Amino acid sequence: RALLHLGLPKNEDAEAGRSGNETSPLIEKPREVSLLHPVQWLRTLSQSYTWKLLAMVACTNHLLKGFVAGGGDEGLIGKPAEFLFGELGVSAGRLQALKAVAIIPFALKPLVALLSDAFPIAGYHKLPYVVIFTILSFGALMTLGLGLAVSEAAVVTALFLAF
């Protein structure tokens, strides 16, 4: 009777102890989409997500990760790092070890994601971390660009923060 008072429809089957006979599901089953039909796949993708989200995902995955951090011949950061270390007179073997240390943040991304989920800043989980790491990366790249990193440790630290 409380349901009637709230304006909700009365379920006579439930009151009589009979099980309901639902003919239409609450959630539609997604259509099967194959990558063999790319036009249909793109149409379904654009109906499911906004173009802004799809553009952001494409840019972050292909432009930033590909070109900047490792596309082509080690990206826009990798190859200049070799010249920076070469200017410091670093041997080839040591160069590879230092570059491996400098790109550790790529391997630490899942850890940073867990950290941001576990410890929100001002109620936000991702945004403050993105801003903080962007500022650190910008500062590190400015240090490299202005020639302020003049030792191996400074270059490795700057590259570590840039990634």
Side-chain angles (χ1 to χ4, degrees):
R1 300 215 183 279
L3 292 176
L4 290 174
H5 179 67
L6 294 173
L8 298 173
K10 182 178 173 182
N11 188 349
E12 294 173 5
D13 287 337
E15 287 179 3
R18 297 184 297 247
S19 62
N21 187 5
E22 188 176 295
T23 57
S24 63
L26 296 176
I27 301 174
E28 288 185 30
K29 183 179 178 184
R31 295 184 309 217
E32 294 293 324
V33 179
S34 171
L35 291 178
L36 298 175
H37 306 287
V39 174
Q40 181 185 6
W41 179 77
L42 285 172
R43 186 175 297 126
T44 304
L45 189 65
S46 66
Q47 290 171 351
S48 300
Y49 303 102
T50 65
W51 69 269
K52 290 179 183 178
L53 176 68
L54 295 175
M56 185 215 39
V57 168
C59 287
T60 56
N61 283 317
H62 298 291
L63 294 177
L64 295 179
K65 287 183 181 178
F67 296 139
V68 175
D73 196 17
E74 298 182 38
L76 299 175
I77 294 178
K79 202 44 112 172
E82 290 183 15
F83 288 106
L84 290 171
F85 286 125
E87 188 177 307
L88 296 173
V90 176
S91 67
R94 182 142 172 87
L95 169 76
Q96 292 303 316
L98 292 173
K99 280 178 61 178
V101 169
I103 62 169
I104 285 176
F106 265 170
L108 295 179
K109 283 184 181 187
L111 182 64
V112 172
L114 289 174
L115 177 75
S116 69
D117 287 340
F119 302 105
I121 299 173
Y124 293 99
H125 289 278
K126 303 289 183 203
L127 182 64
Y129 289 93
V130 169
V131 171
I132 289 167
F133 287 115
T134 300
I135 291 170
L136 287 173
S137 295
F138 181 76
L141 291 173
M142 287 295 292
T143 302
L144 289 172
L146 296 174
L148 301 175
V150 293
S151 67
E152 280 183 24
V155 172
V156 169
T157 302
L159 287 172
F160 183 88
L161 292 174
F163 278 103

